[in-house]
Amino acid sequence: MMNFEKRTGPDFGAAAPQYPTQGVPEWYRDAKLGFFVHWGLYSVPAWAVQHGEGVNIPTEDAYAWHQYAEWYGNTVRIAGSPTWERHQSLYGPGTSYEDLADLWDASAFDADSFVGELVDAGARYVVPTTKHHEGFCLWGTETTGFNALRRGPRRDLIAEFHDATRRAGARFGVYYSGALDWHVSDFPPIESDTDLFRYRRNDAPFARYAAAQLEELVARFRPDVLWNDIEWPDGGKGSEDYAVAALLRRYFDAVPDGVVNDRWGVPYHGFLTREYTHVPDIVDEPWESTRGLGYSFGFNQAEDERHSLSGAALIRLLVDVVSKNGNLLINVGPDASGAIPELQRRAMRELGDWLRRNGDAVYGTRPWIRAGERTGAPRAYTRSADAVHLHLLDPGHGEAEVPSELDGAALRWADGSAAEVVTEGAARIVSVPDALRSEPVAVLTAPGV
């Protein structure tokens, strides 16, 4: 996956616009866990080719066999692709992707119940997709009739998400696709990473259109997180009032403790994003790991347990990311009705249960002097104001070495009980209690470090 903070053109030289100077706020760094919600027209067919272990897809076919169900609107236009063939069979050749808007029934959606599940799973912020690359807006925008208030659900879904999230006491963010909008574009389908930046609108009228939509979202919802995707149209990167520099200045005027990501295609960014990417060590800048529970963000009904993170794997992912100075933005992909599939719900509930026992070792922490160890039983470390937390990533192993920097006599398990530490040569070994060996991650705390 590409890193978008490296894309910063065009070069305006001495006439470069003035960007904001805000850094990443402490609330965001403390939050550690957010939930993405990818929900849109793609949730009606809810399908993409299965990916995963044992599946070998040639690079030249990566877009025709795209792993993301939310890219259905692009893959369905690639003649002969599995998505194209399935669409012809299910809906007939006379049904376009955009026609699916009138098949989208979200009448059973209950925002409070939905958001409640995310918060119960440990979410400190919630970021629904307001408009993905397909161009369908999930709020009652005045910029286009291609929206959820006028078609399909006939509801302002983002307003419902916003109100429910605020009532639940979590931070609210918005995802917005700034550079791609297939509804107002007339390009061939994207079939390569090169096409991703070739087949997009960069003209000033489209930049104004995107700016008007983003301004609506900021004015109506005052989002704590402004999460832009892919980039921003080049026609809106200058010093004009509708350009991204001015948009971001006005956003921070409206939300002084807000935060943005790095996918704007300009020199300024907030936190870094890493999508479906393993980060090997501590990153100095605040960053965010994002991925779906499976291989897709949008719900893919073709996936099963073989393709989706278990609760234990999700917990270990969170600990790994947090130990390296990151937040985890894990995605839930509801079906068209707005229900969270049971496969995803099971992992979420396991995560929430674990965080209720061990959240002090995650929320509000910062990296320690190192993220983990290169040898021995796998461990990760986090640091809070007055303690270091040692996360045993394989407690079933039964024991692990205690690092020399920690006082073994002071180590406590999450329930407050003292750890059993024995000396073997130059090493100090902690024994994991039988009751904790079935945990996905067992946590030890060394106070006063």
Side-chain angles (χ1 to χ4, degrees):
M1 295 291 180
M2 63 187 69
N3 295 337
F4 283 86
E5 76 272 11
K6 299 182 184 299
R7 300 187 59 86
T8 58
D11 183 3
F12 291 95
Q18 294 296 308
Y19 295 101
T21 58
Q22 271 89 341
V24 175
E26 291 300 296
W27 76 257
Y28 175 84
R29 299 193 66 197
D30 290 343
K32 300 306 177 190
L33 178 63
F35 269 84
F36 242 168
V37 183
H38 274 63
W39 197 29
L41 298 190
Y42 43 85
S43 306
V44 176
W47 192 86
V49 176
Q50 287 184 358
H51 282 241
E53 189 175 346
V55 178
N56 183 24
I57 296 174
T59 301
E60 61 270 21
D61 292 331
Y63 279 81
W65 294 60
H66 210 297
Q67 72 185 65
Y68 291 169
E70 68 274 15
W71 271 72
Y72 190 102
N74 186 74
T75 51
V76 77
R77 293 191 296 132
I78 301 176
S81 70
T83 301
W84 179 87
E85 291 179 348
R86 188 174 186 274
H87 189 89
Q88 301 290 308
S89 175
L90 281 181
Y91 301 107
T95 303
S96 73
Y97 175 71
E98 294 191 351
D99 289 336
L100 299 180
D102 300 315
L103 301 179
W104 186 8
D105 179 6
S107 58
F109 175 63
D110 183 313
D112 285 304
S113 176
F114 190 104
V115 171
E117 294 216 47
L118 305 185
V119 172
D120 193 56
R124 294 294 174 89
Y125 57 105
V126 177
V127 184
T129 51
T130 64
K131 185 194 78 170
H132 208 268
H133 310 327
E134 63 192 8
F136 190 76
C137 299
L138 271 64
W139 78 100
T141 178
E142 296 177 3
T143 62
T144 176
F146 196 50
N147 69 70
L149 196 61
R150 298 277 294 276
R151 296 182 66 179
R154 305 281 175 173
R155 296 163 64 175
D156 191 322
L157 300 173
I158 299 304
E160 294 181 34
F161 266 117
H162 167 270
D163 295 349
T165 302
R166 298 295 190 201
R167 283 192 291 267
R171 296 272 185 165
F172 179 76
V174 295
Y175 164 104
Y176 180 78
S177 175
L180 294 180
D181 188 322
W182 300 323
H183 177 67
V184 295
S185 303
D186 188 21
F187 291 112
I190 295 167
E191 298 190 59
S192 68
D193 285 349
T194 300
D195 288 349
L196 184 65
F197 299 99
R198 174 192 294 140
Y199 295 148
R200 68 178 215 185
R201 290 184 60 174
N202 280 308
D203 55 284
F206 177 64
R208 289 178 180 273
Y209 177 77
Q213 292 186 335
L214 201 67
E215 296 268 39
E216 280 187 346
L217 292 170
V218 171
R220 296 187 189 185
F221 306 118
R222 295 292 194 272
D224 301 294
V225 181
L226 206 54
W227 211 105
N228 187 64
D229 203 4
I230 303 296
E231 261 207 26
W232 197 259
D234 286 351
K237 291 182 181 176
S239 298
E240 299 86 357
D241 190 54
Y242 62 85
V244 66
L247 289 172
L248 293 178
R249 289 197 302 270
R250 289 195 292 274
Y251 166 64
F252 286 119
D253 286 343
V255 189
D257 65 343
V259 67
V260 303
N261 66 338
D262 58 351
R263 297 187 175 189
W264 301 87
V266 298
Y268 172 80
H269 64 257
F271 57 84
L272 306 179
T273 57
R274 296 294 181 264
E275 182 175 331
Y276 279 91
T277 301
H278 173 72
V279 171
D281 211 337
I282 294 171
V283 177
D284 291 336
E285 292 185 68
W287 64 283
E288 184 177 74
S289 173
T290 188
R291 58 159 294 166
L293 284 164
Y295 288 89
S296 173
F297 286 92
F299 175 47
N300 180 5
Q301 61 182 295
E303 291 188 336
D304 56 30
E305 288 84 355
R306 298 169 299 169
H307 310 99
S308 192
L309 292 176
S310 65
L314 177 57
I315 291 162
R316 287 192 286 268
L317 172 63
L318 173 64
V319 170
D320 179 74
V321 168
V322 171
S323 73
K324 296 169 181 174
N325 201 34
N327 283 17
L328 176 62
L329 184 64
I330 193 68
N331 180 78
V332 59
D335 63 20
S337 74
I340 299 173
E342 184 58 31
L343 180 61
Q344 299 178 40
R345 183 182 286 112
R346 285 200 300 269
M348 291 167 53
R349 287 177 174 170
E350 289 184 47
L351 174 62
D353 288 344
W354 185 86
L355 282 168
R356 277 184 282 278
R357 298 190 300 274
N358 300 284
D360 289 346
V362 174
Y363 298 121
T365 64
R366 298 293 183 270
W368 191 44
I369 57 177
R370 59 186 177 274
E373 305 292 351
R374 299 187 184 278
T375 60
R379 286 147 288 170
Y381 304 105
T382 56
R383 173 183 57 82
S384 51
D386 56 359
V388 172
H389 309 282
L390 191 166
H391 300 256
L392 304 182
L393 303 178
D394 183 16
H397 185 70
E399 60 182 32
E401 186 173 347
V402 177
S404 59
E405 296 90 347
L406 300 185
D407 180 1
L411 286 174
R412 295 290 184 271
W413 297 104
D415 64 1
S417 61
E420 179 185 342
V421 180
V422 297
T423 301
E424 297 182 4
R428 293 175 303 157
I429 306 298
V430 63
S431 177
V432 182
D434 290 344
L436 294 178
R437 295 190 182 190
S438 60
E439 286 279 290
V441 175
V443 180
L444 280 163
T445 295
V449 178

